């Protein structure tokens, strides 16, 4: 009798394409298959021990077991302000320009819920990390997708083209777009931008009157001399922008769910307000441990995290090239955005990912799951060790050979 009741908000969400790969992967594992899993950006290494020790020490104190502050304890927000000052020479007020969130994903979704009106328009590059667009759909807003153009060898964004495309969308969207989402280093493509890009983007936002939501979840994971810029470095950025950051990848703390949104006081105030209604913040010992990570162990990404991913990147690119699958060399993030080999491109990314899983025991994320402009690619997460990467390359070589022979 309840069949006629519809949930319009959920019905607006597209099919979750990664579910097909996840279900197939679990089925194969139940059958005893050895799956080499590059499909999810879930760090495989443990959280550094000093951070775990601080969590355990703080958890022994009964006074830390009660409700916390929904916007995060002051010392954690101050630690984030100090991080921005140290890394980007950017000044942020811990009380009015920073919110600690339960991971950057929760913070992003709640921010969008707080600032979006029904019918508002957000411009989101395609391909994109799915929640960057779907958060607006859940809030009753609309999304305009904009193809992300970048050099496939260097993964550098065509910045002039990007800015021109933003202007085009602003001039032609009805109603006029209110928000622009940027995410560099980019997930899934790993594409990067220069500091000058943000200077031009902030100037454009001030001129055209729209807000920028920047996500730098992979800010710390960079290679070969590249350094991630922040929009908060730009004078006047706080007038038009907010930015999200997370400890998930930089400190192998994905399951701890510690993130931040910083920047524009009006937007931060809206996020603080909605969070005061919805949650009581993270478990205090987690916040204390995260504070110590930012204040005392900010060398960990450079000393431990980056070398691991750089080594895996280099091993994968060499081993897969030898297997017949040549891919571009990213200079940031923990992913490789691999163009599907010519012999398999006709399959599309979802079918290719399924066949790769079934016949080679290698799991990747199909590019179509990130948007229509991702369908010639798959995203490969660097979350298996070098030996497993080399084994995956051997499996891939056999799989591609079979594909080539089948076409003869």
């Amino acid at each position: 009798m309840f069949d006629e009741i519809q949930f319009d908000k959920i019905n607006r969400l597209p099919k979750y394409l990664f579910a097909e790969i996840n279900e197939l992967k679990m089925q194969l594992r139940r059958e005893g298959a050895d799956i080499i899993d590059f499909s999810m950006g879930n760090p495989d290494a443990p959280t550094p021990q000093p951070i775990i020790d601080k969590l355990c020490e703080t958890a022994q104190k009964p006074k830390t077991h009660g409700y916390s502050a929904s916007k995060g304890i002051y010392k954690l927000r101050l630690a984030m302000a100090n991080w921005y000052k140290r890394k980007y020479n950017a000044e942020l007020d811990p009380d009015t320009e920073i919110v600690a969130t339960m991971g950057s994903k929760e913070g992003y979704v709640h921010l969008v819920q707080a600032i979006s009106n029904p019918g508002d328009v957000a411009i989101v590059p395609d391909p994109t990390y799915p929640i960057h667009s779907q958060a607006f759909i859940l809030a009753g807003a609309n999304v305009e997708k904009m193809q992300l153009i970048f050099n496939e060898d260097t993964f550098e964004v065509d910045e002039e083209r990007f800015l021109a495309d933003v202007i085009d969308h602003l001039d032609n969207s009805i109603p006029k777009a209110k928000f622009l989402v940027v995410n560099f280093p980019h997930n899934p493509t790993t594409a990067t931008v220069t500091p000058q890009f943000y200077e031009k983007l902030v100037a454009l936002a001030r001129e055209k009157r729209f807000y920028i939501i920047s996500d730098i979840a992979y800010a710390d994971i960079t290679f070969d001399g590249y350094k991630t810029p922040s929009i908060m470095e730009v004078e006047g950025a706080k007038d038009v922008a907010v930015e999200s950051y997370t400890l998930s990848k930089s400190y192998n703390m994905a399951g701890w769910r510690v993130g931040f949104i910083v920047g524009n006081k009006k937007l931060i105030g809206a996020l603080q307000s909605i969070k005061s209604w919805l949650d009581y913040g993270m478990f205090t010992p987690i916040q204390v441990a995260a504070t110590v990570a930012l204040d005392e162990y900010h060398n960990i990404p450079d000393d431990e995290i980056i070398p691991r991913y750089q080594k895996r990147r280099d091993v994968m690119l060499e081993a897969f090239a030898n297997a017949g699958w040549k891919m571009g060399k990213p200079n940031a993030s923990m992913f490789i955005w691999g163009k599907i080999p010519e012999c398999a491109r006709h399959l599309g990314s979802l079918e290719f990912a399924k066949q790769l899983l079934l016949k080679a025991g290698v799991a990747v994320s199909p590019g179509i799951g990130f948007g229509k402009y991702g369908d010639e690619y798959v995203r490969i997460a660097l979350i298996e060790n070098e030996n497993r990467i080399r084994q995956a390359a051997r499996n891939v070589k056999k799989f591609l050979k079979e594909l080539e022979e089948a076409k003869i």
Side-chain angles (χ1 to χ4, degrees):
M1 64 180 289
F2 289 99
D3 290 346
E4 71 278 8
I5 298 176
Q6 297 294 316
F7 305 117
D8 292 342
K9 184 178 291 187
I10 296 301
N11 289 340
R12 290 188 72 196
L13 292 174
K15 181 179 179 182
Y16 190 66
L17 294 178
F18 303 118
E20 291 189 50
I21 300 299
N22 291 337
E23 290 168 8
L24 183 57
K25 181 173 63 179
M26 296 311 298
Q27 175 190 330
L28 292 171
R29 280 181 168 156
R30 284 193 294 269
E31 294 170 357
D34 177 27
I35 304 301
I36 304 173
D37 192 357
F38 302 117
S39 64
M40 188 176 179
N42 190 17
D44 61 311
T47 304
Q49 193 60 45
I51 303 171
I52 297 173
D53 292 343
K54 178 54 70 171
L55 169 71
C56 295
E57 174 192 325
T58 310
Q60 295 299 323
K61 300 174 181 178
K63 68 179 182 179
T64 65
H65 292 187
Y67 293 128
S68 189
S70 61
K71 66 180 181 180
I73 62 174
Y74 177 76
K75 285 188 176 180
L76 179 56
R77 287 180 280 118
L78 179 61
M80 185 79 275
N82 290 337
W83 183 88
Y84 264 96
K85 179 64 177 175
R86 184 171 60 243
K87 192 175 182 75
Y88 294 117
N89 197 31
E91 301 281 354
L92 290 164
D93 184 330
D95 286 320
T96 62
E97 296 175 338
I98 298 178
V99 179
T101 60
M102 297 175 189
S104 60
K105 189 174 184 179
E106 174 270 318
Y108 179 89
V109 173
H110 280 158
L111 172 71
V112 171
Q113 289 284 334
I115 64 178
S116 296
N117 300 322
D120 278 351
V121 175
I123 301 170
V124 181
D126 183 329
T128 187
Y129 182 53
I131 199 61
H132 283 162
S133 59
Q134 301 315 322
F136 288 98
I137 302 301
L138 286 168
N142 297 312
V143 172
E144 283 203 12
K145 292 293 187 69
M146 183 183 85
Q147 184 178 7
L148 178 64
I149 307 296
F150 57 92
N151 184 302
E152 294 193 2
D153 293 321
T154 64
F155 294 94
E156 295 171 333
V157 170
D158 185 336
E159 296 178 3
E160 294 304 319
R161 172 72 181 273
F162 187 100
L163 294 167
D165 286 347
V166 170
I167 293 171
D168 184 59
H169 279 268
L170 288 168
D171 290 345
N172 291 287
S173 62
I174 302 175
K176 185 183 137 185
K178 191 176 184 178
F179 307 104
L180 169 69
V181 178
V182 292
N183 163 219
F184 301 113
H186 189 248
N187 181 9
T189 72
T190 79
T192 57
V193 295
T194 65
Q196 292 72 32
F197 169 78
Y198 288 124
E199 293 174 4
K200 295 175 182 178
L201 190 60
V202 167
L204 182 62
R206 293 167 70 92
E207 175 191 347
K208 297 284 190 177
R209 299 181 64 80
F210 63 89
Y211 284 117
I212 303 161
I213 304 174
S214 169
D215 175 6
I216 57 167
Y218 300 91
D220 290 322
I221 304 175
T222 60
F223 317 117
D224 306 326
Y226 177 75
K227 297 298 180 185
T228 300
S230 164
I231 199 168
M232 291 299 141
E233 294 176 281
V234 179
E235 185 177 352
K238 290 188 290 185
D239 294 336
V240 296
V242 290
E243 189 162 72
S244 64
Y245 172 76
T246 173
L247 274 66
S248 292
K249 309 307 192 296
S250 300
Y251 293 87
N252 290 339
M253 292 173 66
W256 294 54
R257 311 313 301 133
V258 184
F260 302 89
I261 308 286
V262 311
N264 179 269
K265 289 182 180 181
K266 184 176 181 180
L267 302 190
I268 294 299
L271 177 56
Q272 289 177 345
S273 180
I274 199 170
K275 282 181 64 65
S276 70
W277 284 97
L278 295 175
D279 69 69
Y280 287 107
M282 292 168 276
F283 184 40
T284 298
I286 288 177
Q287 297 191 60
V288 173
T291 302
V292 168
L294 290 168
D295 280 344
E296 300 180 24
Y297 297 102
H298 43 81
N299 62 305
I300 283 174
D302 287 338
D303 293 349
E304 299 182 25
I305 309 300
I306 293 173
R308 180 182 298 115
Y309 287 128
Q310 183 162 348
K311 176 67 173 176
R312 291 176 179 182
R313 178 202 65 172
D314 294 344
V315 169
M316 177 168 284
L317 290 176
E318 180 180 6
F320 275 49
N322 291 336
W325 188 356
K326 192 176 187 314
M327 298 179 287
K329 186 178 184 180
N331 60 5
S333 91
M334 59 182 290
F335 303 113
I336 291 177
W337 184 239
K339 195 162 193 175
I340 298 171
E342 184 65 40
C343 65
R345 208 164 295 161
H346 65 285
L347 296 172
S349 61
L350 182 57
E351 184 59 29
F352 174 73
K354 288 180 181 177
Q355 293 298 318
L356 193 65
L357 184 53
L358 285 166
K359 297 180 180 179
V362 174
V364 297
S365 293
I368 189 65
F370 301 98
K372 70 176 183 178
Y373 293 110
D375 200 23
E376 290 190 345
Y377 303 82
V378 293
R379 192 193 71 177
I380 306 170
L382 299 169
I383 55 170
E384 295 269 14
N385 64 43
E386 289 87 6
N387 290 334
R388 297 282 281 172
I389 290 171
R390 293 187 179 96
Q391 178 61 54
R394 290 191 288 270
N395 296 359
V396 165
K397 184 175 184 178
K398 182 179 177 183
F399 168 62
L400 294 179
K401 183 179 179 182
E402 291 173 355
L403 272 179
E404 291 278 12
E405 291 174 348
K407 293 176 70 175
I408 296 174

